[in-house]
Coordinates of all heavy atoms in Angstrom, one line a residue:
M145 N -40.8 15.0 -30.4 CA -41.6 14.0 -30.1 C -42.5 13.5 -31.2 O -43.0 14.3 -31.9 CB -42.5 14.4 -28.8 CG -43.2 13.2 -28.2 SD -42.3 12.0 -27.4 CE -42.0 12.8 -25.8
I146 N -42.6 12.2 -31.5 CA -43.4 11.7 -32.6 C -44.7 11.0 -32.0 O -44.6 10.4 -31.0 CB -42.7 10.5 -33.3 CG1 -41.3 10.9 -33.7 CG2 -43.4 10.1 -34.5 CD1 -40.5 9.7 -34.0
K147 N -45.7 11.3 -32.6 CA -47.0 10.7 -32.2 C -47.4 9.7 -33.1 O -47.6 9.9 -34.3 CB -48.2 11.7 -31.9 CG -47.7 12.6 -30.6 CD -49.1 13.3 -30.1 CE -48.5 14.1 -28.9 NZ -49.4 15.1 -28.5
I148 N -47.8 8.4 -32.7 CA -48.2 7.3 -33.5 C -49.5 6.9 -33.3 O -50.0 6.9 -32.1 CB -47.1 6.2 -33.1 CG1 -45.7 6.6 -33.4 CG2 -47.5 4.9 -34.1 CD1 -44.7 5.7 -32.7
E149 N -50.2 6.5 -34.3 CA -51.5 6.0 -34.2 C -51.7 4.7 -34.9 O -51.2 4.7 -36.1 CB -52.6 7.0 -34.7 CG -53.8 7.1 -33.9 CD -54.7 8.2 -34.5 OE1 -55.1 8.3 -35.6 OE2 -54.7 9.3 -33.7
V150 N -52.2 3.6 -34.4 CA -52.5 2.4 -35.1 C -53.9 2.2 -35.1 O -54.7 2.3 -34.1 CB -51.7 1.2 -34.4 CG1 -52.1 -0.1 -35.3 CG2 -50.2 1.3 -34.4
D151 N -54.5 2.1 -36.3 CA -55.9 1.7 -36.5 C -56.1 0.2 -36.1 O -55.8 -0.7 -37.0 CB -56.4 1.9 -37.8 CG -57.8 1.8 -38.0 OD1 -58.4 1.1 -37.2 OD2 -58.4 2.4 -38.9
M152 N -56.5 -0.1 -35.0 CA -56.7 -1.4 -34.4 C -57.7 -2.2 -35.2 O -57.8 -3.4 -35.0 CB -56.9 -1.4 -33.0 CG -55.6 -0.9 -32.2 SD -54.0 -1.7 -32.7 CE -54.0 -3.0 -31.4
D153 N -58.6 -1.5 -35.9 CA -59.6 -2.2 -36.7 C -58.9 -2.8 -38.0 O -59.4 -3.8 -38.5 CB -60.7 -1.3 -37.2 CG -61.5 -0.8 -35.9 OD1 -61.8 -1.6 -35.0 OD2 -62.2 0.3 -36.0
L154 N -57.7 -2.0 -38.4 CA -57.1 -2.6 -39.6 C -56.0 -3.5 -39.2 O -55.8 -4.5 -39.9 CB -56.5 -1.4 -40.3 CG -57.3 -0.4 -41.1 CD1 -56.6 0.7 -41.7 CD2 -58.1 -1.2 -42.0
C155 N -55.3 -3.3 -38.0 CA -54.2 -4.1 -37.6 C -54.6 -5.7 -37.5 O -55.5 -6.1 -36.9 CB -53.7 -3.7 -36.4 SG -52.3 -4.8 -35.6
Q156 N -53.9 -6.5 -38.2 CA -54.0 -8.0 -38.2 C -52.9 -8.6 -37.3 O -52.9 -9.9 -37.2 CB -54.0 -8.5 -39.6 CG -55.1 -8.0 -40.5 CD -56.4 -8.4 -40.1 OE1 -56.6 -9.5 -39.6 NE2 -57.4 -7.4 -40.0
H157 N -52.2 -7.8 -36.5 CA -51.3 -8.3 -35.5 C -50.2 -9.2 -36.3 O -49.8 -10.2 -35.7 CB -52.1 -9.1 -34.5 CG -53.2 -8.3 -33.8 ND1 -53.1 -7.3 -33.0 CD2 -54.5 -8.5 -34.2 CE1 -54.2 -6.8 -32.8 NE2 -55.2 -7.5 -33.5
Y158 N -49.8 -8.9 -37.4 CA -48.7 -9.7 -38.1 C -47.4 -9.4 -37.4 O -46.6 -10.3 -37.5 CB -48.6 -9.3 -39.6 CG -49.9 -9.6 -40.4 CD1 -50.3 -8.6 -41.3 CD2 -50.4 -10.9 -40.3 CE1 -51.5 -9.0 -42.0 CE2 -51.6 -11.1 -41.2 CZ -52.1 -10.2 -42.0 OH -53.2 -10.5 -42.8
G159 N -47.1 -8.3 -36.9 CA -45.9 -8.1 -36.2 C -44.8 -7.5 -37.0 O -43.7 -7.4 -36.5
Q160 N -45.0 -7.2 -38.3 CA -43.9 -6.6 -39.1 C -43.3 -5.4 -38.4 O -42.1 -5.1 -38.5 CB -44.2 -6.4 -40.6 CG -44.3 -7.6 -41.4 CD -45.7 -8.2 -41.4 OE1 -46.4 -8.1 -40.4 NE2 -46.0 -8.8 -42.5
C161 N -44.2 -4.5 -37.9 CA -43.7 -3.4 -37.2 C -42.8 -3.6 -36.1 O -41.9 -2.8 -35.8 CB -45.0 -2.6 -36.9 SG -46.1 -3.5 -35.8
V162 N -43.0 -4.7 -35.5 CA -42.2 -5.0 -34.2 C -40.7 -5.2 -34.7 O -39.8 -4.7 -33.9 CB -42.7 -6.4 -33.6 CG1 -41.9 -6.8 -32.4 CG2 -44.2 -6.1 -33.2
F163 N -40.4 -5.8 -35.9 CA -39.1 -5.8 -36.3 C -38.4 -4.6 -36.8 O -37.2 -4.4 -36.5 CB -39.1 -6.8 -37.6 CG -39.4 -8.3 -37.2 CD1 -40.6 -8.7 -37.6 CD2 -38.5 -9.2 -36.6 CE1 -41.0 -10.1 -37.1 CE2 -38.8 -10.4 -36.3 CZ -40.1 -10.9 -36.6
E164 N -39.3 -3.7 -37.2 CA -38.7 -2.3 -37.6 C -38.5 -1.4 -36.4 O -37.6 -0.6 -36.5 CB -39.7 -1.7 -38.6 CG -39.9 -2.4 -40.0 CD -38.5 -2.7 -40.7 OE1 -37.7 -2.1 -40.5 OE2 -38.6 -3.7 -41.6
A165 N -39.3 -1.5 -35.4 CA -39.3 -0.5 -34.3 C -39.6 -1.3 -33.0 O -40.7 -1.1 -32.4 CB -40.2 0.6 -34.5
P166 N -38.6 -2.2 -32.6 CA -38.9 -3.0 -31.5 C -39.0 -2.3 -30.1 O -39.6 -2.8 -29.1 CB -37.8 -4.0 -31.4 CG -36.8 -3.4 -32.3 CD -37.4 -2.5 -33.3
N167 N -38.6 -1.1 -30.1 CA -38.7 -0.2 -28.9 C -40.2 0.3 -28.7 O -40.5 0.7 -27.5 CB -37.8 1.0 -28.9 CG -36.5 0.6 -28.9 OD1 -36.1 -0.5 -28.2 ND2 -35.5 1.4 -29.5
L168 N -41.0 0.4 -29.8 CA -42.2 0.9 -29.7 C -43.4 0.0 -29.9 O -44.6 0.3 -29.4 CB -42.3 2.0 -30.9 CG -41.2 3.0 -30.8 CD1 -41.3 3.9 -32.0 CD2 -41.4 3.8 -29.5
F169 N -43.2 -1.1 -30.7 CA -44.2 -2.1 -30.9 C -43.9 -3.5 -30.5 O -42.7 -3.8 -30.5 CB -44.4 -2.2 -32.5 CG -44.7 -0.9 -33.1 CD1 -43.8 -0.1 -33.8 CD2 -46.1 -0.6 -33.4 CE1 -44.3 1.1 -34.4 CE2 -46.5 0.6 -34.0 CZ -45.4 1.5 -34.5
K170 N -44.9 -4.1 -29.8 CA -44.6 -5.5 -29.5 C -45.9 -6.2 -29.5 O -47.0 -5.7 -29.5 CB -44.0 -5.6 -28.1 CG -45.0 -5.2 -27.0 CD -44.4 -5.7 -25.5 CE -45.5 -5.7 -24.6 NZ -45.1 -6.1 -23.3
L171 N -45.8 -7.5 -29.6 CA -46.9 -8.4 -29.6 C -47.0 -8.9 -28.2 O -46.1 -9.5 -27.6 CB -46.8 -9.5 -30.6 CG -46.9 -9.2 -32.0 CD1 -46.7 -10.4 -32.9 CD2 -48.1 -8.4 -32.5
N172 N -48.1 -8.8 -27.5 CA -48.2 -9.2 -26.1 C -48.4 -10.9 -26.1 O -48.4 -11.5 -27.1 CB -49.4 -8.6 -25.4 CG -50.6 -8.8 -25.9 OD1 -51.0 -9.9 -26.6 ND2 -51.7 -7.9 -25.7
D173 N -48.7 -11.3 -24.9 CA -48.9 -12.7 -24.7 C -49.9 -13.3 -25.5 O -50.0 -14.6 -25.7 CB -49.0 -13.1 -23.2 CG -47.7 -12.8 -22.5 OD1 -46.6 -12.6 -23.1 OD2 -47.7 -12.7 -21.2
D174 N -50.9 -12.5 -25.9 CA -52.1 -13.0 -26.6 C -51.8 -12.8 -28.2 O -52.8 -12.9 -29.0 CB -53.3 -12.2 -26.2 CG -53.8 -12.6 -24.8 OD1 -53.6 -13.7 -24.4 OD2 -54.2 -11.7 -24.1
D175 N -50.5 -12.3 -28.5 CA -50.2 -12.1 -29.9 C -51.2 -10.9 -30.4 O -51.3 -10.7 -31.6 CB -50.5 -13.4 -30.8 CG -49.3 -14.3 -30.6 OD1 -48.2 -13.9 -30.2 OD2 -49.5 -15.4 -30.9
K176 N -51.4 -10.0 -29.5 CA -52.1 -8.7 -30.0 C -51.0 -7.6 -30.0 O -50.0 -7.7 -29.1 CB -53.2 -8.3 -29.1 CG -54.3 -9.3 -29.0 CD -55.1 -9.4 -30.3 CE -56.4 -10.4 -30.2 NZ -56.9 -10.6 -31.5
L177 N -51.2 -6.7 -30.9 CA -50.2 -5.6 -31.0 C -50.4 -4.7 -29.8 O -51.5 -4.3 -29.4 CB -50.4 -4.8 -32.2 CG -49.3 -3.7 -32.4 CD1 -47.9 -4.1 -32.6 CD2 -49.9 -2.7 -33.5
E178 N -49.3 -4.3 -29.1 CA -49.2 -3.2 -28.2 C -48.2 -2.1 -28.7 O -47.2 -2.5 -29.2 CB -48.9 -3.6 -26.7 CG -49.9 -4.4 -26.1 CD -49.6 -4.9 -24.7 OE1 -48.5 -4.6 -24.2 OE2 -50.4 -5.6 -24.1
Y179 N -48.4 -0.9 -28.5 CA -47.5 0.2 -29.0 C -47.6 1.3 -28.2 O -48.5 1.7 -27.4 CB -47.9 0.5 -30.4 CG -49.1 1.2 -30.7 CD1 -49.0 2.7 -30.8 CD2 -50.3 0.7 -30.7 CE1 -50.1 3.4 -31.1 CE2 -51.5 1.5 -30.9 CZ -51.3 2.8 -31.1 OH -52.5 3.5 -31.2
H180 N -46.4 2.1 -28.3 CA -46.4 3.5 -27.6 C -46.8 4.4 -28.4 O -46.4 4.5 -29.6 CB -44.8 3.6 -27.2 CG -44.2 2.7 -26.2 ND1 -44.3 2.9 -25.0 CD2 -43.5 1.6 -26.4 CE1 -43.8 2.0 -24.3 NE2 -43.2 1.2 -25.1
A181 N -47.7 5.3 -28.0 CA -48.3 6.3 -28.9 C -47.5 7.5 -29.0 O -47.5 8.4 -30.0 CB -49.6 6.8 -28.3
E182 N -46.4 7.7 -28.1 CA -45.4 8.7 -28.2 C -44.0 8.1 -28.3 O -43.6 7.2 -27.6 CB -45.5 9.6 -27.1 CG -46.9 10.4 -27.2 CD -46.9 11.5 -26.0 OE1 -46.1 11.5 -25.1 OE2 -47.8 12.4 -26.1
A183 N -43.2 8.7 -29.1 CA -41.8 8.2 -29.3 C -40.9 9.4 -29.4 O -41.3 10.5 -29.9 CB -41.7 7.3 -30.5
D184 N -39.7 9.2 -29.0 CA -38.6 10.0 -29.2 C -38.3 10.3 -30.7 O -38.4 9.3 -31.5 CB -37.4 9.6 -28.5 CG -36.4 10.7 -28.2 OD1 -36.5 11.4 -27.3 OD2 -35.4 10.7 -29.1
D185 N -37.8 11.4 -31.0 CA -37.5 11.8 -32.5 C -36.5 10.9 -33.0 O -36.4 10.6 -34.3 CB -36.9 13.2 -32.6 CG -38.2 14.3 -32.4 OD1 -39.2 13.9 -32.6 OD2 -37.8 15.5 -32.0
S186 N -35.6 10.3 -32.2 CA -34.6 9.4 -32.5 C -35.2 8.0 -33.2 O -34.5 7.3 -33.8 CB -33.6 9.1 -31.5 OG -34.4 8.3 -30.5
E187 N -36.5 7.9 -32.9 CA -37.1 6.7 -33.4 C -37.7 6.9 -34.8 O -38.4 6.0 -35.4 CB -38.1 6.3 -32.4 CG -37.7 5.6 -31.2 CD -37.3 4.2 -31.4 OE1 -37.5 3.6 -32.4 OE2 -36.7 3.7 -30.4
L188 N -37.6 8.1 -35.3 CA -38.4 8.5 -36.6 C -38.1 7.6 -37.7 O -39.1 7.0 -38.4 CB -38.1 9.9 -37.0 CG -38.9 10.5 -38.2 CD1 -40.3 10.3 -38.0 CD2 -38.4 11.8 -38.6
E189 N -36.8 7.2 -38.0 CA -36.6 6.3 -39.1 C -37.2 4.9 -38.9 O -37.7 4.4 -39.8 CB -35.0 6.2 -39.3 CG -34.4 7.0 -40.3 CD -33.1 6.8 -40.4 OE1 -32.6 5.6 -40.5 OE2 -32.2 7.7 -40.5
N190 N -37.2 4.4 -37.6 CA -37.8 3.2 -37.4 C -39.3 3.1 -37.6 O -39.8 2.3 -38.1 CB -37.4 2.8 -35.9 CG -35.9 2.5 -35.7 OD1 -35.2 2.3 -36.7 ND2 -35.6 2.4 -34.4
V191 N -39.9 4.3 -37.0 CA -41.4 4.4 -37.2 C -41.7 4.5 -38.7 O -42.7 3.8 -39.2 CB -41.8 5.6 -36.4 CG1 -43.4 5.8 -36.6 CG2 -41.6 5.5 -35.0
E192 N -41.1 5.2 -39.5 CA -41.3 5.4 -40.9 C -41.1 4.0 -41.6 O -42.0 3.7 -42.5 CB -40.5 6.4 -41.5 CG -40.7 7.8 -41.2 CD -39.9 8.9 -41.8 OE1 -38.7 8.5 -42.1 OE2 -40.2 10.0 -41.9
A193 N -40.1 3.3 -41.2 CA -39.9 1.9 -41.7 C -41.1 1.0 -41.3 O -41.7 0.2 -42.2 CB -38.7 1.3 -41.2
A194 N -41.6 1.2 -40.1 CA -42.8 0.4 -39.7 C -44.0 0.7 -40.5 O -44.8 -0.1 -41.0 CB -43.1 0.6 -38.2
V195 N -44.2 2.1 -40.8 CA -45.4 2.5 -41.6 C -45.2 1.9 -43.0 O -46.3 1.3 -43.5 CB -45.3 4.1 -41.7 CG1 -46.3 4.5 -42.7 CG2 -45.6 4.8 -40.4
D196 N -44.0 1.9 -43.4 CA -43.9 1.3 -44.9 C -44.2 -0.1 -44.9 O -44.7 -0.6 -45.9 CB -42.5 1.7 -45.4 CG -42.3 3.1 -45.7 OD1 -43.3 3.8 -45.8 OD2 -41.0 3.5 -45.9
V197 N -43.8 -0.8 -43.8 CA -43.8 -2.4 -43.9 C -45.2 -2.8 -43.5 O -45.5 -4.0 -43.8 CB -42.6 -2.9 -43.1 CG1 -43.2 -3.0 -41.6 CG2 -42.2 -4.2 -43.6
C198 N -45.9 -2.1 -42.8 CA -47.3 -2.6 -42.4 C -48.1 -3.0 -43.6 O -48.5 -2.2 -44.4 CB -48.0 -1.5 -41.5 SG -49.6 -2.1 -41.0
P199 N -48.5 -4.2 -43.8 CA -49.3 -4.7 -44.9 C -50.7 -4.2 -44.9 O -51.4 -4.1 -45.8 CB -49.3 -6.3 -44.7 CG -49.0 -6.5 -43.3 CD -48.2 -5.4 -42.9
M200 N -51.1 -3.7 -43.8 CA -52.5 -3.1 -43.6 C -52.5 -1.7 -43.6 O -53.7 -1.0 -43.6 CB -53.2 -3.7 -42.3 CG -53.2 -5.2 -42.1 SD -53.9 -5.9 -43.5 CE -55.6 -5.4 -43.4
Q201 N -51.3 -1.1 -43.8 CA -51.2 0.5 -43.7 C -52.1 0.9 -42.6 O -52.8 1.9 -42.7 CB -51.7 1.0 -45.1 CG -50.9 0.6 -46.1 CD -51.4 1.0 -47.6 OE1 -52.6 1.3 -47.8 NE2 -50.5 0.9 -48.6
A202 N -51.9 0.3 -41.3 CA -52.5 0.7 -40.1 C -51.8 1.7 -39.3 O -52.4 2.3 -38.5 CB -52.8 -0.6 -39.4
I203 N -50.6 2.0 -39.6 CA -49.8 2.8 -38.8 C -49.7 4.3 -39.4 O -49.5 4.4 -40.6 CB -48.4 2.3 -38.5 CG1 -48.4 0.8 -38.1 CG2 -47.7 3.2 -37.5 CD1 -47.0 0.2 -38.1
R204 N -50.0 5.3 -38.5 CA -49.8 6.7 -39.0 C -49.0 7.5 -38.0 O -49.1 7.2 -36.8 CB -51.3 7.2 -38.9 CG -51.9 7.6 -40.3 CD -53.2 8.1 -40.2 NE -53.8 8.5 -39.0 CZ -54.1 9.7 -38.7 NH1 -53.8 10.7 -39.6 NH2 -54.7 10.0 -37.6
I205 N -48.2 8.3 -38.6 CA -47.5 9.3 -37.8 C -48.4 10.4 -37.8 O -48.7 11.0 -38.7 CB -46.2 9.6 -38.3 CG1 -45.3 8.4 -38.3 CG2 -45.4 10.7 -37.5 CD1 -43.9 8.6 -39.1
V206 N -48.9 10.9 -36.4 CA -49.8 11.9 -36.4 C -49.2 13.3 -36.5 O -49.6 14.2 -37.1 CB -50.6 11.8 -35.0 CG1 -51.7 12.6 -35.0 CG2 -51.3 10.3 -35.0
E207 N -48.0 13.3 -35.8 CA -47.4 14.7 -35.9 C -45.9 14.4 -35.6 O -45.5 13.4 -35.0 CB -47.9 15.7 -34.9 CG -48.0 15.4 -33.5 CD -48.7 16.4 -32.6 OE1 -49.9 16.6 -33.0 OE2 -48.0 17.0 -31.7
Ligands
SF4_45 S1 -47.4 -4.3 -39.1 FE1 -49.4 -3.4 -39.2 S2 -50.9 -5.1 -39.1 FE2 -48.8 -5.9 -38.5 S3 -49.0 -5.7 -36.2 FE3 -47.9 -3.8 -37.0 S4 -49.6 -2.3 -37.2 FE4 -50.4 -4.4 -37.1

């Protein structure tokens, strides 16, 4: 199990993470980011890609 944290003070809701890990990140109807704080290990590569691509470096893998 992967735990994910997004610093919502940093997040600008650009949505790049949504393209990398669409199972975990999405923009809601108000164009605000929503995400799953826990993900299956099979998502690790996608989450790492989302961490790398986030222009605000707002995403962290906690454990
Ligand atoms: S890529 Fe980063 S700044 Fe953009 S929505 Fe995702 S967490 Fe927020």
